[in-house]
């Protein structure tokens, strides 16, 4: 997790600050910036800011703050320091509490080195044991690296960095300053993404290809590569200190920053963008020929099984995909949580197509699962929302959801776009297997209709009212069967991650096997009843909850409303196969309104990050 940005050139501090702001989706527990400046001694200027740590050693200043980057920005705006070399960091805590002491950058004790880090040093404890004469000021694994750099310094900065990295186990992208090299940023990479580049009078380092500014030449570092970034130049080396001529990355299209427009939060904006996200995704793949370009027909023809892998919301989209593909195409489909897949002993057969779902394309668990699947000899496909994200370089084939940049941590429009892809994929598989290419176009017409239904559906008032009703309850249960169960799972995740209300989703028939003992008049139950085949059985399960005093909110397109329901959400009467796309929009909005009613920031829920780049 965490974001790194560094800049050599004019206005390095504001460039770096803007850079880490773009990376805030990777974590926002704390942030910090280090910069060279001989004359700028912050400790004297900053007395008014008791809470933040500022340090000045050997010509390098560090300013750090706890919480969102806007807090760091405020200080920097007041102090207005100037520098031509800076590195910055936004953190998602892995080692040590999310406080100022643990915020990056980290000095070595002698102040000769400064380090910012993405990733996890797994052997940091062992390494720390060899550094007993050093005084540490944080609990991080990163500070250990700063101390090692000073311990092993042999007079050559790059050589020392390469040597220290050879002792590390784990994942890292480092940006490093050394007090004797005020015009350079040193970079090292192993299993955490990082790019380096330069343009007219500047050099840059960034942990995300899509957040870096336009450069003349941009290089994606590979594992065990090192770079020296300067104004107008970047040099890349291997771990034998041999210079490497990396090919500059060309297909580069920095996404512009999204603005809130008239919305108060990105989450609300993104929920409102769902119809557009579906439409754009469909337009990209609305014919047999278009999907064929992404996944060749030959691959589909020989496939026996499908394995879908993802985390969180992406995993839930995969569950919907499983149901669609298994039931509509007759192909056995398994779904795995990426972090579990790695450790179970399940070896899929070679004719399994492995599909990885990831909005960001940066999720470490999912990327690890891709690597394992490739080692098993499987063909791999990524469904991702971010072009040129790390996963795109790992898989054989890429399908893009075209939801547009998703900024709120809680995934909404990307989820709908992921499901949209599964509907299209289902159609494509059937088109190939039955030699009916027109199926893809027909499916795309159905999906566009659904996008219009969502667009014209006025659900704001009722969802707001329901949010106010449930906002103070301690526990929410969500039930459904089949597709409805998967919607319940995603709905529960949405509500809990931004409202902090305990939520649990269950297959409707499973409640009575234990969980129903928790139901009483203080609990709310959301029940999804959108599938004819399971309707009656789920209604029985709802009644069981009502009998035990539970308050029930039912979402259904069937005429099943009755006085025992606390609330009834009348879903639009559409083909029930497409209900997952529609029913979830109610729960996304309810979750949003609960979070706002509780005075939380739905865009940045506590302890989370948009992109989870540690395992
Ligand atoms: O970027 P990814 O789709 O790989 O992220 C996976 C999960 O971390 C993500 O879906 C998470 O569960 C959502 N933020 C929840 O809203």
């Amino acid at each position: 997790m965490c974001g790194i940005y560094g800049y050599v050139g004019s206005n390095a501090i504001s460039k770096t600050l803007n850079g880490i702001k773009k990376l805030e989706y990777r974590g926002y527990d704390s942030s910090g910036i280090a910069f060279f400046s001989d004359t700028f001694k912050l400790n004297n200027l900053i007395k008014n800011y008791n809470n933040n740590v500022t340090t000045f050693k050997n010509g390098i200043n560090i300013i750090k703050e706890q919480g969102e980057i806007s807090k760091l920005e405020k200080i920097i705006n007041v102090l207005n320091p100037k520098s031509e070399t800076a590195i910055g960091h936004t953190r998602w805590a892995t080692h040590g509490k999310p406080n100022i002491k643990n915020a990056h950058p980290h000095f070595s004790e002698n102040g000769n080195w400064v380090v910012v880090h993405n990733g996890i040093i797994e052997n940091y404890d062992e390494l720390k044991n060899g550094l007993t004469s050093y005084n540490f000021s944080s609990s991080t694994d990163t500070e250990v690296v700063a101390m090692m750099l000073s311990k092993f310094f042999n007079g050559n900065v790059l050589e020392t960095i390469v040597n220290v990295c050879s002792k590390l186990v784990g994942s890292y992208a480092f940006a490093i300053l050394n007090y004797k090299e005020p015009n350079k940023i040193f970079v090292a990479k192993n299993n955490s993404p990082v790019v380096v580049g330069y343009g007219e009078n500047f050099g840059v380092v960034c942990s995300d290809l899509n957040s870096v500014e336009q450069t003349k030449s941009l290089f994606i570092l590979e594992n065990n590569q090192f770079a020296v970034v300067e104004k107008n130049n970047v040099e890349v080396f291997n771990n034998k200190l041999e210079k490497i001529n990396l090919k500059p990355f060309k297909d580069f299209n920095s996404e512009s920053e999204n603005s809130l427009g008239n919305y108060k939060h990105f989450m609300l904006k993104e929920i409102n963008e769902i119809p557009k996200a579906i439409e754009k995704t469909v337009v990209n793949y609305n014919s047999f020929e278009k999907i064929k370009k992404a996944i060749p027909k030959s691959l589909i023809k020989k496939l026996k099984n499908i394995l879908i892998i993802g985390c969180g919301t992406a995993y839930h989209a995969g569950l919907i995909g499983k149901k669609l593909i298994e039931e509509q195409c007759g192909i056995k489909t398994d779904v795995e949580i990426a972090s579990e897949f790695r450790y179970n002993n399940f070896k899929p057969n070679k004719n399994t197509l492995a599909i990885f779902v990831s909005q960001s394309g940066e999720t470490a668990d999912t990327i690890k699962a891709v690597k394992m699947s490739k080692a098993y000899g499987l063909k791999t496909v990524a469904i991702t929302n971010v072009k040129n994200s790390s996963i795109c370089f790992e898989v054989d084939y890429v399908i893009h959801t075209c939801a547009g940049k998703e900024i709120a941590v809680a995934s909404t429009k990307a989820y709908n776009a992921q499901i949209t892809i599964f509907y299209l994929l289902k159609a494509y598989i059937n088109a190939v297997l039955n030699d009916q290419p027109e199926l893809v176009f027909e499916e795309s017409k159905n999906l566009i209709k659904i996008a219009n239904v969502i667009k014209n559906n006025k659900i704001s008032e009722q969802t707001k009212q329901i949010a106010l009703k449930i906002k103070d309850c301690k526990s929410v249960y969500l039930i459904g069967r089949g597709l409805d169960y998967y919607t319940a799972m995603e709905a529960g995740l949405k509500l809990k991650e931004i409202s902090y209300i305990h939520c649990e989703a269950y297959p409707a028939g499973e409640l009575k096997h234990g969980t129903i003992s928790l139901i009483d008049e203080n609990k709310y139950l959301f029940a999804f009843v959108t599938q004819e085949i399971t309707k009656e059985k789920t209604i029985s399960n709802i009644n069981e909850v009502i009998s035990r005093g539970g308050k029930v909110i039912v979402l259904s397109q069937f005429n099943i409303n009755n006085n025992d329901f606390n609330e009834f959400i009348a879903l639009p009467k559409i083909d029930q196969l497409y209900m997952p796309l529609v029913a979830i929009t109610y729960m996304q909005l309810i979750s949003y309104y609960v979070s706002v009613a509780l005075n939380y920031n739905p865009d940045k829920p506590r302890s989370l990050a948009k992109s989870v780049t540690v395992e």
Side-chain angles (χ1 to χ4, degrees), residues 197 217 229 407 421:
S217 290
V229 177
I407 291 176
I421 291 290

Side-chain angles (χ1 to χ4, degrees), residues 563-581:
N563 288 337
D564 291 332
F565 297 166
N566 196 280
E567 279 280 347
F568 181 75
I569 296 179
L571 299 176
K573 294 189 188 309
I574 56 163
D575 180 339
Q576 60 179 23
L577 189 65
Y578 299 93
M579 267 307 176
L581 277 169

Side-chain angles (χ1 to χ4, degrees), residues 302-319:
K302 62 175 184 236
L303 85 91
K304 291 270 177 291
N305 298 312
I306 290 181
L307 173 62
I308 304 173
I309 296 177
C311 307
T313 291
Y315 167 71
H316 296 154
L319 290 168

Side-chain angles (χ1 to χ4, degrees), residues 51-88:
N51 282 332
N52 60 288
V53 169
T54 66
T55 337
F56 177 80
K57 291 182 185 177
N58 292 341
I60 305 175
N61 298 277
I62 291 182
I63 313 178
K64 317 192 211 191
E65 251 297 13
Q66 193 171 334
E68 295 174 19
I69 297 174
S70 54
K71 290 173 75 189
L72 179 74
E73 189 177 19
K74 261 190 208 148
I75 301 172
I76 289 178
N77 284 345
V78 171
L79 297 171
N80 198 19
K82 298 276 179 268
S83 177
E84 292 239 326
T85 307
I87 55 175

Side-chain angles (χ1 to χ4, degrees), residues 23 395 399 540:
L23 297 167
V395 293
I399 300 184
S540 303

